[in-house]
């Protein structure tokens, strides 16, 4: 089995910074992409940023230049450094990990429970 665990959310003022962490653990043969998604009330879940197994990154236009995703492959961990936060960044942030549990099985997406980020004065 695979579990994904996020941490680091909280309340921050506009212009402030937060760092989210996510770790995948359990029966893991290989991890392909990992990423961060967010969902605000009344909105669909959207991609914030993702990172491939070789370090290639992809960002939503709304966070480019403010957020940075990074990865520590040895620990199956990714981070999201969020700077210059805006009220519209308020959402529940979810971590996704694309995991292959054995060499014979196709990769499957596993999701964390989410961590709340609130940007407000």
């Amino acid at each position: 089995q695979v579990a994904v665990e996020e941490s680091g959310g909280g309340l921050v003022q506009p212009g402030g910074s937060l760092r989210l962490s996510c770790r995948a653990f359990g029966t893991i043969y290989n991890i392909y992409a990992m990423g961060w998604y967010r969902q605000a009330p009344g909105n669909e879940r959207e991609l914030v940023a993702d990172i491939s197994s070789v370090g290639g990154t992809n960002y939503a236009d709304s966070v480019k230049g403010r957020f940075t995703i990074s990865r520590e492959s040895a620990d199956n961990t990714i981070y999201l450094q969020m700077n210059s936060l805006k009220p519209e960044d308020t959402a529940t942030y979810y971590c996704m990990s694309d995991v292959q549990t054995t060499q014979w099985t196709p990769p499957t997406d596993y999701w964390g429970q989410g961590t709340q980020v609130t940007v407000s004065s």
Side-chain angles (χ1 to χ4, degrees):
Q1 302 298 326
V2 176
V4 177
E5 194 172 78
E6 307 105 333
S7 62
L11 173 65
V12 64
Q13 293 186 342
S17 298
L18 280 176
R19 189 190 194 210
L20 305 183
S21 301
C22 168
R23 187 173 72 95
F25 54 96
T27 305
I28 297 173
Y29 174 76
N30 193 22
I31 297 181
Y32 293 91
M34 294 183 73
W36 291 97
Y37 291 71
R38 67 186 180 187
Q39 187 169 19
N43 291 355
E44 294 185 354
R45 190 172 297 189
E46 62 176 1
L47 173 70
V48 176
D50 61 20
I51 185 166
S52 72
S53 59
V54 295
T57 59
N58 180 44
Y59 294 92
D61 287 343
S62 60
V63 306
K64 283 181 181 177
R66 300 188 298 123
F67 291 10
T68 302
I69 190 170
S70 59
R71 180 169 180 166
E72 287 187 15
S73 296
D75 293 331
N76 299 329
T77 299
I78 61 169
Y79 304 95
L80 185 68
Q81 178 65 43
M82 305 186 292
N83 298 329
S84 302
L85 282 160
K86 304 175 181 179
E88 50 264 44
D89 295 317
T90 296
T92 301
Y93 283 69
Y94 296 91
C95 179
M96 184 281 297
S97 183
D98 192 23
V99 177
Q100 191 181 9
T101 54
T102 74
Q103 65 184 94
W104 301 283
T105 55
T108 301
D109 290 346
Y110 291 87
W111 293 86
Q113 294 296 311
T115 185
Q116 179 66 35
V117 171
T118 302
V119 184
S120 175
S121 55

